[in-house]
Amino acid sequence: MSTIVIYKTKYGGTRKYAEWISEELNCDIVDAKKITIDDILKYDTIIYGGGLYAEIINGVHMLTKNMDKLKDKKIAVFTTGLTPPDCREYYDKMVIEKNFKEGLPQNVKVFNYLGKMVVEELSLVHRTALKTLKKIMQGKENPSDMEKLLIELCDADGDFCDKEAIGELLDYVR
Ligand SMILES: Cc1cc2nc3c(=O)[nH]c(=O)nc-3n(C[C@H](O)[C@H](O)[C@H](O)COP(=O)(O)O)c2cc1C
């Protein structure tokens, strides 16, 4: 069984997990920018990782727009983000709905990990986007618990990547 880990990263959080997973599985690893769907089709098991940006899994479109070609593959998608992985409503509802418009296919399982956001590494565009988001959320009269959490997460600063988290994904693909 051949396996590949594909990742797309802006600040390196997702790459860390991709490297840990490929080391554990002793399998190929590639940056999403350097691979085409035809290359991917040569593998039986595909692991795709992307950071969350406004709930979108960075680059996952590469897989979701080709689901018909990938229907016989075993697929694991992992996200990295700042929303705590136990916020199941966020991950199982919002993130799935935004990224898998026709529902989550049976051959795809999604795993959610804590990522990394080091403020001094952020681009000006991203810093500004976070400031704007925080202002909008703070302006709401009765913010929901999720909106309160988002306000807090806009101020996060650190690397929360954790190798221990990958165990379930490894069990799934092995
Ligand atoms: C502009 C911006 C938007 C983000 N949006 C989300 C989000 O919607 N949900 C989330 O959990 N984390 C969000 N994050 C945090 C990133 O997903 C996190 O830093 C991730 O580890 C980045 O992965 P990468 O370094 O591989 O690109 C956001 C970060 C930035 C800078």
Side-chain angles (χ1 to χ4, degrees), residues 7-17 50-56 58 79-84 90-91 95 113-118 122-123 125-127 129-130 133 150 153 158 161:
Y7 66 90
K8 187 154 185 187
T9 190
K10 283 185 200 283
Y11 299 105
T14 308
R15 183 170 54 236
K16 265 194 199 187
Y17 283 100
L52 287 172
Y53 290 90
E55 278 91 56
I56 298 294
N58 194 7
T79 66
T80 70
L82 293 177
T83 309
Y90 174 78
Y91 285 109
V95 174
Y113 304 140
L114 278 179
K116 159 179 184 264
M117 186 164 87
V118 176
L122 292 181
S123 67
V125 171
H126 278 169
R127 269 189 228 198
L130 291 171
L133 178 68
L150 267 178
L153 294 180
C161 297

Side-chain angles (χ1 to χ4, degrees), residues 31-47:
D31 186 323
K33 287 183 212 143
K34 297 185 181 154
I35 196 164
T36 65
I37 187 68
D38 289 330
D39 300 325
I40 295 174
L41 291 173
K42 294 173 196 149
Y43 292 86
D44 304 303
T45 300
I46 295 146
I47 302 165

Side-chain angles (χ1 to χ4, degrees), residues 1-6 21-22 25-30 35 37 39-49 63 69-78 107-109 111 168-174:
M1 289 288 275
S2 54
T3 301
I4 187 166
V5 183
I6 306 161
I21 293 165
S22 83
L25 295 173
N26 196 16
C27 71
D28 290 352
I29 173 170
V30 67
I35 196 164
I37 187 68
D39 300 325
I40 295 174
L41 291 173
K42 294 173 196 149
Y43 292 86
D44 304 303
T45 300
I46 295 146
I47 302 165
Y48 184 91
L63 298 189
K69 293 183 188 162
L70 295 166
K71 64 180 187 312
D72 298 324
K73 310 287 180 187
K74 184 170 192 173
I75 302 177
V77 170
F78 71 88
N107 59 327
V108 181
K109 195 162 161 54
F111 301 84
E168 208 188 318
L169 183 150
L170 298 177
D171 289 345
Y172 169 70
V173 296
R174 267 177 181 148

